[in-house]
Amino acid sequence: MPELPDVVVYLERMQALLGNARLNRIRIANPFVLRSVDPPLTEVEGRRVRNFERIGKRIVMGLDDGLFLVVHLMIAGRFRWRKPDAAIPKGNGLAAFDFDAGSLILTEAGKKRRVSLHLVRGRETLATFDRGGLEISQATLESFRAALIRDNHTLKRALTDQSILSGIGNAYSDEILLRAKLSPFKQTQSLSEDELATLFEATRSTLEEWTERLRAETGNGFPEKVTAFRQGMAVHGRYRKPCPMCGAPVQRIVYASNEANYCARCQTGGKLLADRALSRLLKKNWPRRIEELEG
């Protein structure tokens, strides 16, 4: 799923390419993507783009007369920048936003259709999409602490809950927790003051560094290779590969449709976190520590 660094770069490049441009029309290839009916989509035709902004992981295109297009890319949604009036790809194409300079094509890989497009009128309606998570770029250590310890959750859940922190998902939460050397299962209300400060700095620096890295990779082009598995990531998507900090094999926990990656030596004091399905299968043969696994 595109997370804060990816979404920020999307917005910056869209603003550079389309700021003040006229939106000629929107073509819908898959009716399921459009989740609103009032105002009708025809109202955007001929409107100028006033700004692009972010609400959590959502991309917002602000138009004349207080109209806003809100896109949530979910897991597999992506934008492509193509020539004017380019054909929408068959199979994975959902919609096209047509401008004089080119077309923004909205696609979604796979068969599940989770990407959503809303057209709303007014800031008050737009605000209903905000789940209230803290923006790290605007946070202080005190506001970060208050958001995290308001309820007691695992760190993995707290980092990815959009009502607690805004814009972070599965990939960057793994990277943040390795940098902070904290277990994904540690409870937020059990954090010491030093651990809270370390986590705050790790969260801020990880997101800032990856945003700068993606900006540099994109340059004056358009981000075409948006993925949750980036070359250079320390643990996310690197199961069994060596941790860049200590060399121990990266571990994983699989739950529902998600996967958490971590380093047992750096983050859990050598303890292997139990993957429910695998540990149930292996029972007493389930290794408890990284030393047993390496042995």
Side-chain angles (χ1 to χ4, degrees), residues 37-71:
V37 294
D38 184 29
L41 208 55
T42 52
E43 286 210 22
V44 305
E45 295 179 1
R47 308 276 183 176
R48 287 197 178 274
V49 176
R50 292 309 176 195
N51 71 302
F52 290 91
E53 56 192 277
R54 178 180 62 83
I55 299 179
K57 299 174 189 176
R58 289 177 169 87
I59 290 173
V60 179
M61 183 189 300
L63 303 169
D64 285 333
D65 300 322
L67 290 173
F68 298 93
L69 288 162
V70 184
V71 178

Side-chain angles (χ1 to χ4, degrees), residues 91-248:
N92 70 343
L94 302 179
F97 304 77
D98 293 328
F99 299 86
D100 290 339
S103 291
L104 272 179
I105 306 293
L106 181 60
T107 66
E108 184 174 15
K111 295 182 179 180
K112 295 180 180 179
R113 291 292 170 256
R114 296 175 175 171
V115 171
S116 64
L117 168 65
H118 291 81
L119 175 62
V120 300
R121 190 190 306 277
R123 282 273 170 194
E124 184 175 338
T125 307
L126 181 64
T128 62
F129 291 96
D130 189 349
R131 294 187 56 194
L134 181 68
E135 291 290 347
I136 290 298
S137 62
Q138 302 167 11
T140 63
L141 176 57
E142 288 69 28
S143 62
F144 181 79
R145 178 196 292 107
L148 241 63
I149 67 173
R150 183 171 58 238
D151 296 301
N152 198 27
H153 298 301
T154 66
L155 289 181
K156 181 69 175 181
R157 177 181 170 185
L159 288 175
T160 57
D161 187 332
Q162 299 304 293
S163 68
I164 299 174
L165 299 175
S166 179
I168 305 171
N170 198 39
Y172 290 104
S173 62
D174 284 349
E175 298 299 291
I176 289 165
L177 289 170
L178 176 70
R179 184 170 294 196
K181 295 187 175 181
L182 290 170
S183 167
F185 280 2
K186 189 175 181 67
Q187 299 287 306
T188 53
Q189 292 181 357
S190 72
L191 291 169
S192 69
E193 289 301 311
D194 284 346
E195 288 172 330
L196 272 165
T198 298
L199 181 59
F200 175 57
E201 181 55 37
T203 303
R204 188 166 53 181
S205 62
T206 298
L207 296 176
E208 288 176 353
E209 288 172 20
W210 273 102
T211 301
E212 287 300 325
R213 182 169 183 159
L214 299 184
R215 279 190 185 119
E217 288 179 4
T218 303
N220 293 325
F222 193 81
E224 294 284 350
K225 296 180 179 180
V226 177
T227 175
F229 303 101
R230 297 276 185 184
Q231 184 177 1
M233 282 187 162
V235 286
H236 184 72
R238 288 178 49 82
Y239 177 50
R240 292 181 175 173
K241 294 182 180 179
C243 167
M245 291 187 177
C246 72

